[in-house]
């Protein structure tokens, strides 16, 4: 069953087509990798799914229900949580309070919210930093906090926007572990990532965007052998 | 000790009138407590939810006029204004929220500033209802003695303090702070930012309006220039919180003490008395530069500064 279906989505900013007629689906329990050169429209795609930008054309369905046109908070309530590429911690709140704030989505009392939040930060390895004001966190931990906060809303689907960018190799391994464990919990994941090794290793399916168009779609193996992709994406990296 | 602090302070305040203070000192105390209420109310919206309002006189004035018009037109006790102001102020807050809360940051501040002024001009011109610039005067105040006014405003302050504390430690409080810190992040965490900003504004407005209704009863006279004043209400409200400490429980109380006393002291200085706004402005600049979180918010920093001062 397709968890998320993107049907013919276009998004224009004035005369600029950031996305043109994009269609793909994400199966329940899968990890879908969304890749493409800078400016390909990956984050715009997330913003459309998450509700920040309504699509100019086309529709998005989540569990067979139309979500395009809804507000971000409604989409989050339905079960889609996201992280931001440019991390957005609630700066003057502690790590724990950040996660408590998002845990309140599904529970009423502070005690229950705190339980969920503690579980979540344990899961993401932030337990020792729970009382740190998030303004003072190093980047690696801020990225983890983004994931923790999204998870605390108890989503069925998680959108991860470059959760690995800027991490050192040790942090990278740790984060891959976290994502694999999120998948084990049965949460469907859509991920934007530039680390080709990571994306090839964890994705069940990959969608390639380039200049707002869908260039290719397939398993990591198919994508790796697709000449169009190699030219548009990997080829560029080689010449750099 | 820390948990008992609110009880101790409320207790101390409650026995103060028994000391046989002069009418003047009772007046000062009443003003301090009334400003604490307004400060705590503003803090809910401006301090915790991050929506800085320059128009809280709108709610203060609507509260005061609810009491005044009830007395003047319906010939009821102006005290009915306190419960009824809740209804009217909420309606005004919802309208203002609908207009202004789609604006962010400085634009919201400007929007509220404009609304405060609009309400003043409206009150000046709707002479059939408000008596315009003539104002509304109670023919006789309920009590000559100030003791009961003191206990009523103290009760209002205690209720406001408890309400703010309960709100801030609940889901609402977390949502308010989340909106203050990053509205987009809050929205994507499933927080209906428009709804919760409206809730913050309405709660803040109601407590401010209650203070306004109390003011009508206590002072016995209002006119649009007094209760819808930009300088003497809206700006002083912000100063009370800024000086005392933004997003702190005790900040508005400390700020109210300082602002009321400062206004009184400056008033007694010959020739400079009328220039108290100038002094407020200077104070605000000093606070923003040296204690951006206010006296309560920057208490550790303040202690450090004073210790260095002693050593030198």
């Amino acid at each position: 069953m397709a968890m998320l279906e993107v049907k013919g989505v276009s998004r224009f900013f004035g005369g600029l087509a950031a996305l043109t007629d994009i269609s793909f689906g994400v199966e329940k329990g899968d990890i879908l990798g969304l890749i493409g050169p800078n400016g390909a429209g990956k984050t715009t795609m997330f913003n459309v799914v998450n509700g920040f930008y309504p699509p100019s054309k086309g529709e998005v369905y989540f569990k067979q229900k139309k979500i395009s046109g809804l507000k971000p908070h409604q989409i989050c309530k339905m079960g889609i949580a996201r992280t931001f590429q440019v991390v957005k911690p609630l700066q003057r709140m502690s790590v724990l309070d950040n996660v408590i704030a998002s845990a309140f989505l599904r529970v009423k009392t502070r005690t229950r919210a705190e339980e969920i939040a503690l579980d979540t930060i344990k899961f993401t390895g932030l337990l020792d930093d729970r009382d740190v004001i998030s303004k003072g966190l190093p980047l690696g931990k801020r990225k983890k906090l983004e994931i923790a906060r999204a998870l605390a809303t108890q989503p069925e689907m998680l959108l991860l926007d470059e959760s690995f960018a800027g991490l050192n190799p040790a942090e990278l391994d740790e984060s891959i572990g976290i994502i694999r464990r999120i998948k084990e919990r049965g949460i469907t994941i859509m991920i934007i990532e530039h680390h080709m090794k990571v994306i090839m290793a964890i994705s069940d399916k990959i969608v390639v965007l380039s200049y707002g168009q869908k260039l290719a779609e397939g398993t990591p193996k198919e994508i790796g052998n697709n000449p169009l992709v190699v030219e548009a994406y990997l080829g560029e990296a080689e010449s750099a | 000790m820390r948990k008992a602090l609110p009880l101790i302070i409320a207790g101390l305040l409650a026995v103060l009138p028994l000391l046989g203070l002069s009418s003047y000192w009772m007046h000062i105390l009443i003003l301090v407590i009334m400003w604490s209420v307004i400060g705590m109310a503003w803090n809910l919206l401006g301090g915790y939810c991050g929506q800085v309002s320059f128009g809280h006189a709108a709610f203060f004035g609507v509260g005061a006029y609810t009491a005044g018009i009830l007395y003047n037109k319906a010939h009821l006790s102006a005290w009915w204004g306190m419960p009824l102001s809740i209804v009217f102020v909420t309606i005004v807050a919802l309208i203002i929220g609908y207009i202004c809360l789609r604006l962010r940051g400085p634009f919201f501040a400007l929007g509220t500033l404009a609304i405060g002024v609009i309400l003043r001009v409206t009150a000046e011109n709707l002479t059939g209802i408000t008596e315009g610039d003539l104002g509304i005067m109670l023919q006789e105040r309920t009590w000559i003695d100030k003791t009961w006014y003191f206990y009523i405003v103290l009760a209002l302050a205690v209720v406001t303090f408890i309400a703010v504390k309960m709100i801030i430690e609940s889901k609402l409080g977390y949502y308010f702070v989340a909106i203050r810190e990053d509205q987009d992040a809050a929205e994507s965490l499933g927080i209906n930012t428009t709804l919760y900003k409206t809730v913050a504004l309405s709660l803040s407005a109601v407590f401010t309006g209650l203070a306004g209704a109390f003011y009508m009863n206590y002072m016995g006279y209002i006119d649009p220039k007094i209760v819808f004043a930009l300088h003497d209400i809206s700006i002083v409200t912000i100063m009370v919180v800024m000086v005392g400490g933004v997003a702190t429980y005790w900040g508005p109380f400390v700020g109210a003490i300082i602002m009321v006393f400062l206004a009184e002291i400056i008033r007694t200085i010959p020739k400079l008395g009328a220039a108290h706004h100038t002094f407020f402005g200077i104070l605000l600049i000093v606070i923003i530069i040296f204690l951006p979180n206010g006296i309560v918010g920057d208490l550790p920093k303040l202690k450090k500064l004073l210790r260095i001062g002693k050593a030198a």
Side-chain angles (χ1 to χ4, degrees), chain B residues 171-244:
Chain B
K171 173 174 173 169
L172 268 184
Y174 276 90
Y175 276 17
F176 290 170
V177 177
I179 291 169
R180 175 186 78 194
E181 292 299 315
D182 195 314
Q183 201 171 316
D184 287 338
E187 184 74 29
S188 74
L189 296 176
I191 300 173
N192 185 344
T193 52
T194 314
L195 172 69
Y196 285 99
K197 283 195 295 185
T198 311
V199 171
L201 176 69
S202 306
L203 287 168
S204 174
V206 162
F207 288 109
T208 312
L210 283 169
F214 168 79
Y215 183 88
M216 173 78 247
N217 281 285
Y218 173 58
M219 296 303 279
Y221 174 76
I222 53 168
D223 73 31
K225 287 202 173 57
I226 296 175
V227 294
F228 286 115
L230 176 61
H231 294 116
D232 290 326
I233 306 287
S234 291
I235 305 286
V236 173
T237 304
I238 300 173
M239 290 224 38
V240 161
V241 183
M242 291 287 299
V243 171

Side-chain angles (χ1 to χ4, degrees), chain B:
Chain B
M1 175 64 201
R2 277 196 82 85
K3 278 203 170 147
L5 192 62
L7 281 175
I8 294 168
I9 291 191
L12 281 178
L13 285 169
V15 297
L16 271 178
L18 304 177
L19 300 178
L21 296 171
S22 71
S23 182
Y24 173 74
W25 276 100
M26 288 300 286
H27 175 65
I28 298 294
L29 281 172
I30 289 169
L31 284 187
V32 165
I33 298 172
M34 188 190 82
W35 276 110
S36 310
V37 172
I38 303 170
M40 285 188 275
W42 187 91
N43 214 6
L44 259 184
L45 178 69
Y48 294 103
C49 198
Q51 310 300 310
V52 175
S53 155
F54 273 74
H56 257 48
F59 310 122
F60 185 81
V62 170
Y65 267 99
T66 306
I69 294 168
L70 274 177
Y71 169 83
N72 209 26
K73 297 286 172 196
H75 305 292
L76 289 168
S77 161
W79 289 110
W80 284 106
M82 292 199 61
L84 277 171
S85 71
I86 296 174
V87 179
F88 286 104
V89 171
T90 308
I91 294 169
V92 172
L94 290 177
I95 297 169
I96 293 179
Y98 182 75
I99 300 168
C100 291
L101 282 174
R102 62 188 72 195
L103 306 171
R104 287 191 185 192
F107 300 102
F108 173 78
L110 286 172
T112 54
L113 189 143
I115 290 209
V117 176
I118 289 167
L119 282 183
R120 194 198 77 219
V121 176
T122 311
E124 280 170 356
N125 288 288
L126 277 180
T127 46
I129 302 168
T130 62
E131 310 294 333
D133 282 330
L134 280 177
I136 294 174
M137 185 141 121
L138 304 182
Q139 292 308 317
E140 72 183 5
R141 288 175 34 187
T142 320
W143 302 286
I144 308 288
D145 185 58
K146 294 203 161 67
T147 314
W148 281 106
Y149 292 107
F150 176 84
Y151 282 120
I152 289 169
V153 78
L154 183 62
L156 178 59
V158 169
V159 169
T160 311
F161 186 90
I162 294 171
V164 168
K165 202 160 156 51
M166 280 172 61
I167 290 165
I168 293 314
E169 282 164 15
S170 73
K171 173 174 173 169
L172 268 184
Y174 276 90
Y175 276 17
F176 290 170
V177 177
I179 291 169
R180 175 186 78 194
E181 292 299 315
D182 195 314
Q183 201 171 316
D184 287 338
E187 184 74 29
S188 74
L189 296 176
I191 300 173
N192 185 344
T193 52
T194 314
L195 172 69
Y196 285 99
K197 283 195 295 185
T198 311
V199 171
L201 176 69
S202 306
L203 287 168
S204 174
V206 162
F207 288 109
T208 312
L210 283 169
F214 168 79
Y215 183 88
M216 173 78 247
N217 281 285
Y218 173 58
M219 296 303 279
Y221 174 76
I222 53 168
D223 73 31
K225 287 202 173 57
I226 296 175
V227 294
F228 286 115
L230 176 61
H231 294 116
D232 290 326
I233 306 287
S234 291
I235 305 286
V236 173
T237 304
I238 300 173
M239 290 224 38
V240 161
V241 183
M242 291 287 299
V243 171
V246 175
T248 60
Y249 290 131
W250 291 106
F253 184 61
V254 174
I257 295 175
I258 292 173
M259 291 307 292
V260 170
F261 275 84
L262 198 65
E264 289 301 310
I265 292 165
I266 294 167
R267 261 219 308 225
T268 60
I269 304 173
K271 286 183 184 160
L272 280 177
H276 64 287
H277 290 139
T278 316
F279 287 92
F280 287 0
I282 294 168
L283 175 68
L284 189 59
I285 292 168
V286 171
I287 287 280
I288 286 172
I289 293 174
F290 294 103
L291 300 169
N293 298 315
I295 290 173
V296 174
D298 278 327
L299 207 55
K301 198 171 158 188
L302 198 64
K303 279 183 185 160
K304 220 164 110 192
L305 278 175
L306 289 175
R307 215 170 294 139
I308 292 167
K310 267 180 208 157

Side-chain angles (χ1 to χ4, degrees), chain A residues 59 69 107 171 189 192 197 203 220 231:
Chain A
E59 284 117 33
V107 296
E171 290 171 330
I189 296 173
I192 295 177
K197 266 188 196 156
S203 302
E231 187 191 315

Side-chain angles (χ1 to χ4, degrees), chain A residues 40-58:
Chain A
K42 306 182 293 291
T43 298
T44 307
M45 191 68 244
F46 267 29
N47 284 336
V48 167
V49 173
N50 153 263
F52 272 128
Y53 305 145
S56 310
K57 267 189 218 155

Side-chain angles (χ1 to χ4, degrees), chain A residues 5-10 21-24 45 57-61:
Chain A
E5 276 176 283
V6 176
K7 288 184 180 168
V9 162
S10 300
D21 197 22
I22 308 283
S23 299
F24 63 88
M45 191 68 244
K57 267 189 218 155
E59 284 117 33
V60 183
Y61 292 86

